Amino acid sequence: MSLWFRFFLSFLLVILSGCGYTLSHRVQNVFDHPKGLFVPIFANDTEELGAEMIFTNALLRELTLHQTFRVAHKKEETPLELRGVVEQINYQPTALYAPNAGVNKLQSYSNVPDQINLVARVRLELFDRDSKKVLWTQSATASRIVGAYLARTGDKEAASGFGTYTQSLIDSRYSDIARDLVRDLYDAMLETL
């Protein structure tokens, strides 16, 4: 091989080795603690019973999957706590099924929710117990359209308009929306300051 060819090959290797994409340089220093992060159960500021566990589990799954951050099993192991709050879970009809009079035994004024928009907002904050300071905070919002159960008839204004089956359809989408929110928040944890 000629000297110029070796020089060109060496130059090319040096240039290409600097173009590799890694996440290690993107991790914010505030999350980089040798003892890791402790993730307590989320606080739930909504009226949706049990939603805090679904969002907590989604965050733990995301952190465990990527293994960018060490997760401490006990609060005493580390001064850093990654606290979460389920701030909002709302759902309301976005499309109504209004049958003609006599169809499905409904009157012409009756409406049934056909599609329901589910919106959730979660906030994460990194709290340092030693300094008693919040080192980082971020919120994320996501939504999903849920198909309603049309066999449950009723007026949209009636208290029974959202039947038990429709409520269970909404509840079943919490894990999907939690996964989306947590992925957005995890990406925010990796961004540079």
Side-chain angles (χ1 to χ4, degrees), residues 106-148:
L106 289 175
Q107 300 298 322
S108 60
Y109 62 83
S110 297
N111 294 305
V112 180
D114 183 23
Q115 291 181 355
I116 300 166
N117 188 32
L118 170 63
V119 178
R121 184 177 65 237
V122 172
R123 184 182 76 244
L124 281 183
E125 64 181 28
L126 183 65
F127 181 75
D128 185 355
R129 285 194 321 274
D130 289 345
S131 65
K132 306 282 192 257
K133 291 182 181 179
V134 174
L135 304 176
W136 174 87
T137 186
Q138 184 77 31
S139 294
T141 304
S143 65
R144 286 266 202 239
I145 297 293
V146 180

Side-chain angles (χ1 to χ4, degrees), residues 66-107:
H66 296 290
Q67 298 181 356
T68 305
F69 308 106
R70 183 177 178 274
V71 178
H73 297 288
K74 295 180 182 177
K75 185 177 185 174
E76 298 78 26
E77 291 179 16
T78 180
L80 296 182
E81 286 186 26
L82 188 58
R83 298 176 177 174
V85 180
V86 182
E87 295 182 318
Q88 172 191 12
I89 295 178
N90 291 334
Y91 43 87
Q92 60 188 17
T94 56
L96 298 173
Y97 174 69
N100 297 328
V103 176
N104 291 338
K105 300 179 183 178
L106 289 175
Q107 300 298 322

Side-chain angles (χ1 to χ4, degrees), residues 168-180:
S168 68
L169 288 173
I170 292 168
D171 293 350
S172 70
R173 299 307 297 263
Y174 285 172
S175 59
D176 294 336
I177 209 165
R179 183 186 62 236
D180 292 346

